[in-house]
Amino acid sequence: MRVFSDNRPHMVNWFWRKKPAESEKPVEQPTAPPVTAEPVLSDIPFIPPTPAPAAPEAAAPSLPPEPATLAEAAGNDDPDYAHAAPAASAGKIGWRERLKGSSFAKSLGGLFSRNPKLDESLLEEIETALLTADVGIKATTTLVEDLRTRMNRREFADATALLAALREDLIAMLRPVAKPLQIDRNARPFVIVTIGVNGVGKTTTIGKLARRFSQDGHQIMLAAGDTFRAAAVAQLQAWGERNGVHVVAQGQDADAAAVAFDAYSSAKARGSSILIADTAGRLHTQGGLMDELGKIVRVLGKHGAGIPHEVLMVIDGTTGQNAISQLRAFNAKVPVTGLVVTKLDGTAKGGVVFALAREFGIPIRYAGIGERPEDLRIFDPKAFVDALLPESLGQ
């Protein structure tokens, strides 16, 4: 009993000492493995003092909030395209690389690659393929009837000869509208107003055009007329900074016509050779916004006859036949003098270009075949048709 009672205080005393021992453990064993990591990590800043600033420089280009650093890392390119595919190859090769995946190329390409028999059934398949590719009823009827007439006259020895004739007809349909934009250097500034529905890429197209014109030796000024979206103003200002171009802006909800008017006065005073005015994207069914577009053009016209010199409508190549109704509505409000067809490298069927040419005859100035600024190409009908329907299919 004495031993038991004698040990009991010792056990209580032992537990009391256990807690301080646990709390003192990190202090008593500074060299133990779990603790040695702390002094080693704390020594790191003192051992290599120079790598510390180098690490942020390497990481900076991947940070979206720093466009200037990103632009330098991408060769003064738009940081939005830092991870985009490289620019398409020059010449016809680039067109073919980007348009070979369109439904137009796949349907007609697949038709002629199997060396079909020259008969009425082939014409029907061609007609179906053209309509499916958004070529439109009018353009398709014109193309197929011409082929049928020539086939009945026995002008084609085989399907390869018919393919060559179809290629010629497609190029002939586009040749009248393949007119590059000519900048009048005596009109200082030469005024371009860009229009179009929401999401077609107007602001991006303006940035690419500003870069192209700057490289051609022009002094550019941009007008941030899309006052409905604060992001549009910021985006245009970012393009201006990257290209060394002055941007006239008055903030969100400002009067777009006033912005355009002031921008012209500023461009005139600065001696700018080209003024490109952005406008808010609007659906062609929105009467009020369409009326405002007419107001912008009228206000610019107060600066002189013939101003603006170009009304450039940007059309999304993926919209298909809806592009026809869009252009018809816009052209009724303001005289559209040129077109830019974008996103032809994506899911676009490609045929809408022929429908636009056949329906309106408005010059197609540029075509977008990629995301890079270099991918905004001057429209080339031969390269376009060759990309959709290569001559080699019949060989």
Side-chain angles (χ1 to χ4, degrees):
M1 294 293 292
R2 184 183 180 116
V3 174
F4 176 80
S5 60
D6 211 25
N7 287 338
R8 189 169 184 179
H10 285 292
M11 290 179 66
V12 173
N13 195 23
W14 183 81
F15 279 107
W16 274 94
R17 277 202 299 242
K18 185 73 173 174
K19 291 182 180 178
E22 289 286 343
S23 61
E24 294 170 7
K25 205 169 194 179
V27 179
E28 291 176 359
Q29 299 179 4
T31 58
V35 184
T36 50
E38 294 183 8
V40 172
L41 289 172
S42 63
D43 289 340
I44 287 177
F46 301 95
I47 295 172
T50 51
E57 289 180 15
S62 63
L63 296 176
E66 300 180 11
T69 308
L70 278 169
E72 293 175 6
N76 293 325
D77 244 348
D78 187 342
D80 292 338
Y81 306 128
H83 303 291
S89 303
K92 290 185 177 181
I93 297 177
W95 287 84
R96 193 174 302 172
E97 288 173 352
R98 296 302 172 86
L99 274 64
K100 63 183 180 182
S102 68
S103 62
F104 188 107
K106 289 180 179 179
S107 57
L108 282 171
L111 175 61
F112 284 99
S113 62
R114 57 182 172 84
N115 193 22
K117 182 180 178 181
L118 188 63
D119 56 13
E120 185 65 27
S121 177
L122 174 59
L123 292 179
E124 292 178 358
E125 289 189 74
I126 292 174
E127 183 176 27
T128 301
L130 292 174
L131 290 173
T132 304
D134 286 331
V135 173
I137 295 177
K138 291 183 179 180
T140 297
T141 301
T142 300
L143 291 166
V144 173
E145 286 303 316
D146 178 70
L147 293 176
R148 179 176 285 111
T149 300
R150 296 174 66 180
M151 187 178 73
N152 292 335
R153 291 202 300 254
R154 301 184 182 279
E155 293 185 17
F156 308 133
D158 51 23
T160 300
L162 187 144
L163 169 62
L166 176 59
R167 281 171 44 85
E168 291 173 3
D169 287 349
L170 290 171
I171 294 173
M173 186 173 288
L174 296 179
R175 191 176 288 118
V177 299
K179 298 177 181 178
L181 179 61
Q182 301 295 327
I183 304 297
D184 183 1
R185 294 182 178 270
N186 295 322
R188 298 181 69 90
F190 184 89
V191 182
I192 302 172
V193 174
T194 58
I195 63 175
V197 302
N198 311 64
V200 296
K202 289 189 311 301
T203 306
T204 300
T205 298
I206 289 173
K208 293 178 179 181
L209 287 174
R211 176 170 176 155
R212 172 186 286 271
F213 294 148
S214 295
Q215 291 175 343
D216 290 341
H218 291 282
Q219 294 77 44
I220 314 299
M221 181 174 289
L222 305 179
D226 186 354
T227 58
F228 289 96
R229 293 189 307 125
V233 176
Q235 184 182 2
L236 201 65
Q237 289 173 331
W239 272 107
E241 290 179 9
R242 285 188 292 275
N243 295 312
V245 173
H246 182 71
V247 179
V248 175
Q250 295 184 8
Q252 191 174 4
D253 297 329
D255 185 350
V259 173
F261 187 89
D262 293 346
Y264 182 92
S265 300
S266 180
K268 192 77 173 177
R270 288 171 173 260
S272 300
S273 54
I274 299 177
L275 168 65
I276 309 177
D278 192 9
T279 60
R282 63 205 73 211
L283 295 176
H284 54 288
T285 56
Q286 295 173 315
L289 290 178
M290 293 295 287
D291 290 339
E292 182 183 278
L293 187 61
K295 176 185 175 183
I296 294 173
V297 173
R298 288 195 307 273
V299 167
L300 281 171
K302 293 181 179 179
H303 284 290
I307 300 175
H309 304 93
E310 178 83 356
V311 177
L312 199 60
M313 182 168 177
V314 182
I315 293 177
D316 185 341
T318 66
T319 57
Q321 287 297 298
N322 194 35
I324 301 296
S325 56
Q326 292 174 11
L327 179 52
R328 185 178 291 114
F330 275 87
N331 199 36
K333 281 294 178 184
V334 294
V336 178
T337 56
L339 302 177
V340 179
V341 185
T342 61
K343 306 179 185 179
L344 288 173
D345 59 312
T347 58
K349 297 179 181 179
V352 67
V353 176
F354 300 98
L356 292 169
R358 175 66 176 77
E359 184 80 16
F360 300 99
I362 296 175
I364 301 176
R365 309 296 194 185
Y366 301 95
I369 61 172
E371 297 181 19
R372 295 277 181 175
E374 301 86 351
D375 291 327
L376 183 66
R377 302 283 185 91
I378 294 175
F379 183 66
D380 182 343
K382 289 185 177 180
F384 182 72
V385 171
D386 188 62
L388 296 175
L389 201 60
E391 187 176 7
S392 57
L393 282 175
Q395 300 174 357

